[in-house]
Amino acid sequence: MRKIGIIGAMVEEVQLFEGHMTDTQAITKAGISFMSGQMHESQVVVTKCGVGKVNAAVCTQILIDHFQVEAVLFTGVAGALDPRLDIGDLVISIDCMQHDMDVTALGFERGVIPYQDRSIFEADRELVELAYGIGEKLFESNVYRGRVLSGDQFIADRTKVKELHEELGGTCTEMEGAAVAQVCSMNDTRFVVIRSMSDRADGTAHMNFAEFTQLAANRSFQMVEAIIQEMR
């Protein structure tokens, strides 16, 4: 039976998944709670990794090593970088990159991880197209494929937004996806990152985030549930 790892960014998302799973078993590793069980005839492991790239990386490696998942689906909210995006729109990762990796002082381009063969991590094409098609079918909001930029920074500045979009080709920005992508890539594990736009990363997040949280959680659950059914 296929085993799928699901990482949620919010408690609300994880609770929705757990409420639709059967034969559940809870386990805590490295301070992170994991819930394994069955959902639509697939084995799933659901977890909330916590904020930031280190938490996301540790969580992803545990999913791969301990639970031996075959694919990782990461879902949550993000700030829009592409000016076409509006609040509520969806971005499906074509690839992921760390925007706060900066060794330009030593002659490396921004975003490049020194002495590694890859700094941009491509999502599984089949999962990308599956998620894109489901998003277009389920929701009235616009769905885009694009680059997810990650960094241990909450972006809330219009100048920074323009810089990340134009210099690094980012479609949206958040704090975990590229870490998940890198760990999956290092382990030859399929992944896709699915992000709902909660704000425009321009300082208005405090006005939008609270009211958007539950909507994003419901939408993420619908998306991932449909993906699991199709992957079956």
Side-chain angles (χ1 to χ4, degrees), residues 35-191:
M35 180 71 73
S36 64
Q38 290 194 29
M39 188 175 180
H40 297 298
E41 300 180 18
S42 290
Q43 284 288 114
V44 297
V45 184
V46 180
T47 182
K48 182 177 79 70
C49 67
V51 177
K53 293 186 297 178
V54 173
N55 282 326
V58 170
C59 179
T60 305
Q61 194 66 56
I62 291 171
L63 283 173
I64 294 169
D65 284 345
H66 183 80
F67 294 100
Q68 298 181 325
V69 299
E70 301 170 36
V72 175
L73 311 178
F74 190 105
T75 178
V77 297
L81 297 175
D82 191 319
R84 297 176 299 169
L85 290 168
D86 203 351
I87 294 170
D89 287 348
L90 291 169
V91 172
I92 313 299
S93 66
I94 291 176
D95 56 34
C96 300
M97 184 181 189
Q98 299 179 56
H99 69 74
D100 61 347
M101 177 60 67
D102 189 346
V103 196
T104 53
L106 297 182
F108 294 92
E109 292 184 12
R110 182 176 175 183
V112 169
I113 304 170
Y115 317 117
Q116 283 201 184
D117 60 347
R118 268 181 292 178
S119 300
I120 299 171
F121 304 99
E122 294 186 1
D124 181 80
R125 295 302 177 189
E126 182 181 342
L127 290 177
V128 171
E129 294 309 313
L130 179 58
Y132 180 80
I134 287 171
E136 284 208 312
K137 182 169 63 175
L138 287 180
F139 308 117
E140 294 181 4
S141 302
N142 294 317
V143 184
Y144 296 87
R145 305 176 191 87
R147 174 167 295 169
V148 175
L149 296 182
S150 306
D152 289 326
Q153 303 168 353
F154 190 90
I155 304 301
D157 177 81
R158 289 179 174 85
T159 302
K160 188 78 169 179
V161 167
K162 184 177 181 182
E163 173 188 311
L164 293 178
H165 177 58
E166 294 182 354
E167 292 187 16
L168 296 180
T171 304
C172 66
T173 181
E174 34 85 297
M175 300 176 73
E176 296 85 23
V180 173
Q182 182 173 348
V183 173
C184 284
S185 177
M186 293 168 72
N187 288 274
D188 294 320
T189 300
R190 304 166 67 201
F191 80 90

Side-chain angles (χ1 to χ4, degrees), residues 6 13-21 39 46 220-221 224:
I6 302 166
E13 293 171 347
V14 175
Q15 289 173 339
L16 282 170
F17 286 107
E18 292 176 355
H20 289 76
M21 293 164 59
M39 188 175 180
V46 180
S220 294
F221 172 75
V224 175

